Amino acid sequence: MFEAIRDYTEPFAEKIGLVVHDVRTGAVFSRNPDRVFPSASVIKLAILWEFYRRVAEGSLNPEEPYVLHDDVKEGTTPYDTGILRDFHDGLVLTLQDIVTMMIVISDDTATNILIDRFGKEAINESMSRIGLTHTRVQRRMMEYDKVRAGIDNEISAGDMDRYFTLLLAQDSPMPAGCRETMLDILARQRYTAAIPSLLSEDTRIAHKTGTIGEVGLEHDVGLIYGPDGRPAVIVAALTQHLENRLHVIGTIAKMALESSLC
């Protein structure tokens, strides 16, 4: 049923990792699903899962206050993602505020606050436990010296498909209430230039983007809902060094939704 996507993506070779998964029928199309890509901000999905795993087990209270101080702020230019760095020292937030900003506006300060709280090893153990074999947190946000040294966060399209499949599964290790909250946060995503770009503005999309322009990365992964409000199709599109990559991802998402609704 994904013949058009297969033909459209054939010329992209190793520049794309893709899984398109029809939630209603179970049909799947993939291209390089196990290729490991530098994650950019899509790695924040792993931290989101660890946050709500701890909420579910009772070891983390999302309403716990967090006092923001200048020494944790990340980013210095308008091109660095986030808003927390612009707020005053001593601002009182909650952990729920922190995780929401990490996803909705991809705030790097929020991300590092949570990486430091949980630890990279604990996040990676959680990813392994749910079968995400290529998803690894190996650095904090903005640590580009580590990137230059060959140490980077990693994901694959296949892992991202499994992640969203688990957010929908009745037998998911994540409780239903937490999964609903996670999807609600992801549906408030402010970056809309890829998966949502060619879809109707009223289409519900729970997704996370990741971009590093200087190394040609453009990713968008998430769940697209049908006009009836039900989950329709998961699209996990990872690209590197691909021309017109935002348009490519948007085109794939449009084809995927149309195919799933046929």
Side-chain angles (χ1 to χ4, degrees):
M1 63 180 293
F2 295 124
E3 291 83 0
I5 295 174
R6 180 198 63 205
D7 294 344
Y8 179 69
T9 58
E10 180 70 31
F12 303 150
E14 295 299 313
K15 295 179 180 179
I16 190 167
L18 176 66
V19 177
V20 178
H21 180 175
D22 189 309
V23 173
R24 305 184 188 195
T25 68
V28 175
F29 169 80
S30 65
R31 191 173 293 284
N32 305 317
D34 296 325
R35 182 193 160 183
V36 175
F37 285 79
S39 69
S41 286
V42 177
I43 200 63
K44 294 168 186 178
L45 291 175
I47 302 159
L48 178 69
W49 183 279
E50 180 65 5
F51 185 99
Y52 281 100
R53 185 194 69 78
R54 294 182 183 219
V55 170
E57 73 175 14
S59 65
L60 185 148
N61 176 6
E63 298 308 313
E64 177 185 324
Y66 179 86
V67 181
L68 179 70
H69 291 301
D70 289 341
D71 61 356
V72 302
K73 295 176 182 178
E74 299 288 352
T76 57
T77 77
Y79 302 101
D80 300 325
T81 59
I83 191 68
L84 285 178
R85 67 177 184 270
D86 297 315
F87 292 155
H88 68 82
D89 184 88
L91 176 70
V92 180
L93 302 154
T94 66
L95 293 180
Q96 184 64 60
D97 294 329
I98 299 294
V99 76
T100 299
M101 282 189 267
M102 178 184 73
I103 297 298
V104 174
I105 58 172
S106 204
D107 194 290
D108 287 333
T109 296
T111 306
N112 283 351
I113 288 168
L114 295 178
I115 290 175
D116 292 345
R117 182 177 179 116
F118 302 150
K120 294 187 287 292
E121 289 185 6
I123 299 168
N124 292 336
E125 287 173 6
S126 288
M127 294 300 95
S128 295
R129 202 174 299 123
I130 62 173
L132 274 62
T133 58
H134 302 300
T135 299
R136 292 291 176 268
V137 179
Q138 300 185 111
R139 67 170 177 88
R140 299 165 80 248
M141 298 296 105
M142 308 299 292
E143 289 184 335
Y144 293 120
D145 56 332
K146 289 189 176 180
V147 175
R148 288 188 286 270
I151 303 169
D152 207 348
N153 300 325
E154 298 175 340
I155 54 171
S156 70
D159 275 10
M160 296 300 96
D161 170 61
R162 177 163 177 76
Y163 185 99
F164 279 90
T165 299
L166 288 172
L167 286 183
L168 297 175
Q170 295 300 313
D171 60 350
S172 173
M174 186 68 72
C178 290
R179 288 187 280 116
E180 290 169 4
T181 301
M182 293 165 72
L183 287 168
D184 177 67
I185 294 172
L186 289 161
R188 292 149 63 188
Q189 173 65 240
R190 295 293 195 272
Y191 293 93
T192 59
I195 285 178
S197 61
L198 300 179
L199 300 177
S200 168
E201 288 186 1
D202 59 1
T203 302
R204 177 178 169 86
I205 308 165
H207 67 121
K208 183 71 192 81
T209 62
T211 303
I212 303 180
E214 65 187 73
V215 293
L217 287 178
E218 193 74 57
H219 307 324
D220 203 352
V221 302
L223 173 65
I224 307 173
Y225 294 75
D228 59 2
R230 294 170 51 213
V233 62
I234 296 167
V235 174
L238 313 179
T239 69
Q240 188 169 21
H241 306 309
L242 182 66
E243 292 184 8
N244 301 314
R245 47 195 177 266
L246 287 170
H247 180 74
V248 166
I249 296 172
T251 299
I252 291 169
K254 186 173 186 291
M255 289 178 173
L257 181 59
E258 290 172 348
S259 295
S260 73
L261 298 178
C262 289

